[in-house]
Structures are given as C-alpha cells and as structure tokens.
Amino acid sequence: MKINVNKDRLIYNIGLVNRVVVSKTTMNILECILLIADDKGIKLISNNLDMGIETEYFEADVEDEGKIALEGKFFSDIIRSCPSQDITVETDEKFITIIKSGKSEIKMSGRDPEVFPLLPEVAEDLCYTIEAAKLKDMIRKTIFAVAAENIKPVLTGEYIEINDDDINMVGIDGYRIACGSSHLLKGNNDSFSVIVPGNSMGEIGKLISDEEEISMYFTENHMMVKFKDCILLTSLIEGEYLKYKYFFTGDYKTKVIIRKDEVLSCLDRVLLISKDVKKSPVKVKISSSIIEFSSISEAVGSMYEAIDCEVSGDGLTIGFNPKYMQEIFKNIDADEVTAIFNSSLSPCVLQGEEKYKYLLLPLRL
C-alpha cells in the first residue's frame, strides 16, 4: 500500500477513530486502527468490540491499494510530529510502515489487517432522524445521571424509547433520574426501546458538531449513528429497564418555585463545607416563603443561607447530596425550577423546561 495524504485531513480522521481505541488490552489488535486505501480514497476504522467508529472515505492520492493495522496512539503522535503537510504512508509485505514528510522518515511496525475485527453490518432500511442540536441537548441533560458502575448493568446505560415520532431518553444511577423527550424528524410509526452504554452515548454527544440532523439505525443487538464524517456503532445492553414513569405521579404536598441561579450559587458555598457529601448532606428547610440551606462539617465548619421562593402546601425539612442536586440544576436551562415534595423521606421531583424532569432521592439527616 502507498498513499499520499494531507496532514491535517489525516490528523482529523485519526482523532475521530482514536476516541474508542483501548490503550491496554490482552487483544493487542484492539489498540490499532485499520487504514484502508482503495479507489474511493482512504478511510479509518477502530473497534473495541463494544463500540467502533468508521470514517467516511476522505481524499488521498492512492498509488497502491491496500490496508494496514497501526497502533492508534503511536500513529497519531507520528503524524502530528510530521514537519510537512504532505505525508506519504507506505507499507510492505511484512507490515513495516514507512511515513515520509519533508525530509523526515519514520518506520513503525504494523499488524496484519486481516486480524482486525471489522464492524458488524447494520441494515439502513429503518432510519430515524433527529435534529442534531436536540439530540446533543438530550444527551447533555440526561447522561450525567447514568451510573458509572452498578450491580445492575442496565443502569450503566442510557434508556432510549421511541414511540412513533417521539423519542424519550432516561438516565438512572439509583439515586436520581434524568429524563427528557423530543420529536423525531423522521420515524417509522413503531414503538421500541433499547439501552445504550453510557460511554457510547457520551461519545455520540461529543461527535455532534455542525450537523443539521443525525440518522440513527437499530437492530436487536446494535445501534448505529451516522454523522457527517463518520459512523459510530455500539452494542446494546440486554435487560429490563426500571419503570421510571411510576415515579413521576404529579402528586405533591409541598411545591416550591425557585430561581435556578440562586440555588446554584448557594450550592457552590454548600460544597465548600460538604467535602464528604454522603456524611455532610445539605439540609433543606422549606417554610412559607423561603427555602433554607444549611450544612455542618465537624472538620470544616458550617454554612447557612436563605433564598426567597414561592411555596405552596406544607412546610418540610429534607436532606440531599449537594453534588447530585448541583448537577441537576446545572443541566436545567430554565430560569426558574419547580420542585415538588411529599415527605422528608420521599424523592423530590424537579422540572424547569417542559420536556425534562428530574428525580432526586433524599438522604437521612
């Protein structure tokens, strides 16, 4: 194989696929990216067996067609160090790869491309499209509640539910729920649900750039998302997701309407005291027209702050993890937040924008 390619174009595409390359694994081939050169140009593929990225073909002068598997990080570092925008990549039958740029020449050992695991084929007959900005927004406002690790594997994934032309997205970590909904540009008049690994959804959110819309495809075991310059394919998590809708009944004994920025400013000061958020919860006391926040730490000190708000119903004293509360408020874009309560031991439901709801479990004081 021998190709001539622009440095910036190659670096950009290496950056796309390197997002999912694993650094330490017993399968060394998974540390590589696959470079394919043919009459269409060149494209790159990465695959960690749970998630993979394949670029669209991009422009290059292909003198000899072929393919090679190259260690992703090392190849990226070499290309970034090249002194010229004009780069030549050439391989031999022993997979030795020579990279030339200007007066520089570097050799690196490649691997057998036939060993590299290609991405599974996904049929594109059933396509679901959504505005890119809406999908990015949904991911940002729900993914923070996905569990990093949990005894229930389903909670490490983002729950996606499609009903006709509507899409719901939910994250649950056992302490809070974040859910939102939006409208698809194109659906298929069907209803189904899948659980997508949280790290895959995170990468999907990061890959959205200036696209106007995003196309999604689903099979029994995979989800494929098509972007302007690449596709991302991820495996799905098997299992039954929690019946999250049962937690949002709308019933309440106490209702509070409060300004988001005032709560966030207060929580910044709470977290100066609550270094150990599990041992030092923020105490929230609701009375006729104010909500009081306080926290005590034997090692650090204490804080107290009162905020004016609208209150309907009974007074209440309840405790929360201040970090979890802060993350919810940060991901609400509305100026005012409505919080409803039933008791000091029952979850609190928070809502700013119409299509997003959050639930937060209390801590014992």
Side-chain angles (χ1 to χ4, degrees), residues 297-311:
S297 170
E298 294 182 3
V300 180
S302 63
M303 71 80 61
Y304 167 86
E305 188 165 335
I307 299 175
D308 294 331
C309 60
E310 297 179 30
V311 178

Side-chain angles (χ1 to χ4, degrees), residues 164-176:
D164 296 328
D165 293 330
D166 293 316
I167 179 170
N168 300 323
M169 200 170 289
V170 186
I172 302 176
D173 63 5
Y175 303 96
R176 55 196 169 169

Side-chain angles (χ1 to χ4, degrees), residues 159 161-163 166-170 172 177 179-181 192-193 241-251 349 357 359:
Y159 182 66
E161 185 178 34
I162 290 179
N163 294 300
D166 293 316
I167 179 170
N168 300 323
M169 200 170 289
V170 186
I172 302 176
I177 300 174
C179 58
S181 62
F192 66 92
S193 61
Y241 205 71
L242 297 183
K243 306 295 183 183
Y244 71 96
K245 292 181 181 178
Y246 294 139
F247 294 99
F248 297 97
T249 63
D251 299 332
V349 174
K357 290 182 180 180
L359 180 143

Side-chain angles (χ1 to χ4, degrees), residues 128 163-165 187-191:
Y128 303 82
N163 294 300
D164 296 328
D165 293 330
N188 285 287
N189 297 319
D190 51 7
S191 300

Side-chain angles (χ1 to χ4, degrees), residues 3 5-21 32-35 42-46 53 55-56 58 70-80 82 87 89 99 108 207 229:
I3 60 171
V5 63
N6 175 266
K7 174 183 175 179
D8 288 342
R9 189 180 296 272
L10 184 56
I11 287 175
Y12 173 75
N13 283 276
I14 291 174
L16 292 177
V17 293
N18 260 349
R19 307 180 78 95
V20 305
V21 173
C32 297
I33 59 178
L34 182 67
L35 189 157
I42 63 175
K43 68 176 179 178
L44 306 176
I45 304 174
S46 60
I53 294 178
T55 70
E56 297 290 333
F58 55 98
L70 300 168
E71 198 275 313
K73 186 179 185 307
F74 187 39
F75 184 48
S76 175
D77 290 342
I78 290 175
I79 298 302
R80 288 182 183 279
C82 287
I87 293 175
V89 181
I99 300 164
M108 69 177 291
L207 283 168
D229 297 317

Side-chain angles (χ1 to χ4, degrees), residues 119-352:
L119 303 185
E121 293 288 336
V122 173
E124 299 186 17
D125 50 338
L126 293 178
C127 178
Y128 303 82
T129 60
I130 184 172
E131 289 180 33
K134 284 186 177 180
L135 179 60
K136 191 178 184 73
D137 198 48
M138 290 184 75
I139 294 172
R140 175 178 70 84
K141 292 177 179 177
T142 58
I143 198 169
F144 69 91
V146 172
E149 50 187 42
N150 199 289
I151 57 173
K152 293 184 177 180
V154 294
L155 297 186
T156 64
E158 184 104 15
Y159 182 66
I160 295 179
E161 185 178 34
I162 290 179
N163 294 300
D164 296 328
D165 293 330
D166 293 316
I167 179 170
N168 300 323
M169 200 170 289
V170 186
I172 302 176
D173 63 5
Y175 303 96
R176 55 196 169 169
I177 300 174
C179 58
S181 62
S182 189
H183 188 72
L184 295 168
L185 293 172
K186 176 186 175 184
N188 285 287
N189 297 319
D190 51 7
S191 300
F192 66 92
S193 61
V194 296
I195 306 172
V196 183
N199 59 341
S200 298
M201 289 303 299
E203 291 300 337
I204 290 169
K206 294 173 185 175
L207 283 168
I208 297 173
S209 55
D210 57 351
E211 289 93 346
E212 293 185 1
E213 62 183 54
I214 298 294
S215 298
M216 302 177 291
Y217 308 85
F218 299 89
T219 68
E220 184 178 355
N221 299 311
H222 295 93
M223 171 187 180
M224 185 176 77
V225 183
K226 186 173 287 190
F227 303 92
K228 179 179 64 176
D229 297 317
C230 67
I231 62 167
L232 181 146
L233 188 138
T234 176
S235 59
L236 301 176
I237 298 175
E238 295 183 3
E240 185 175 356
Y241 205 71
L242 297 183
K243 306 295 183 183
Y244 71 96
K245 292 181 181 178
Y246 294 139
F247 294 99
F248 297 97
T249 63
D251 299 332
Y252 66 89
K253 293 182 179 179
T254 306
K255 179 180 179 181
V256 175
I257 300 175
I258 192 167
R259 287 195 60 81
K260 180 193 76 170
D261 56 352
E262 293 185 2
V263 175
L264 281 174
S265 179
C266 175
L267 289 173
D268 285 340
R269 290 181 282 278
V270 168
L271 287 165
L272 294 175
I273 301 298
S274 300
K275 299 296 184 181
D276 188 335
V277 293
K278 293 183 179 179
K279 294 182 179 179
S280 302
V282 58
K283 181 180 179 180
V284 179
K285 184 178 180 180
I286 302 167
S287 54
S288 58
S289 60
I290 63 170
I291 181 168
E292 301 169 77
F293 293 83
S294 60
S295 183
I296 299 175
S297 170
E298 294 182 3
V300 180
S302 63
M303 71 80 61
Y304 167 86
E305 188 165 335
I307 299 175
D308 294 331
C309 60
E310 297 179 30
V311 178
S312 304
D314 304 333
L316 182 74
T317 299
I318 192 169
F320 293 110
N321 180 319
K323 186 66 177 176
Y324 287 171
M325 177 178 276
Q326 182 190 56
E327 286 181 337
I328 289 175
F329 273 83
K330 278 185 175 180
N331 285 284
I332 293 175
D333 289 339
D335 293 332
E336 290 187 330
V337 176
T338 299
I340 60 175
F341 307 82
N342 277 298
S343 75
S344 60
L345 299 178
S346 300
C348 165
V349 174
L350 301 116
Q351 185 168 12

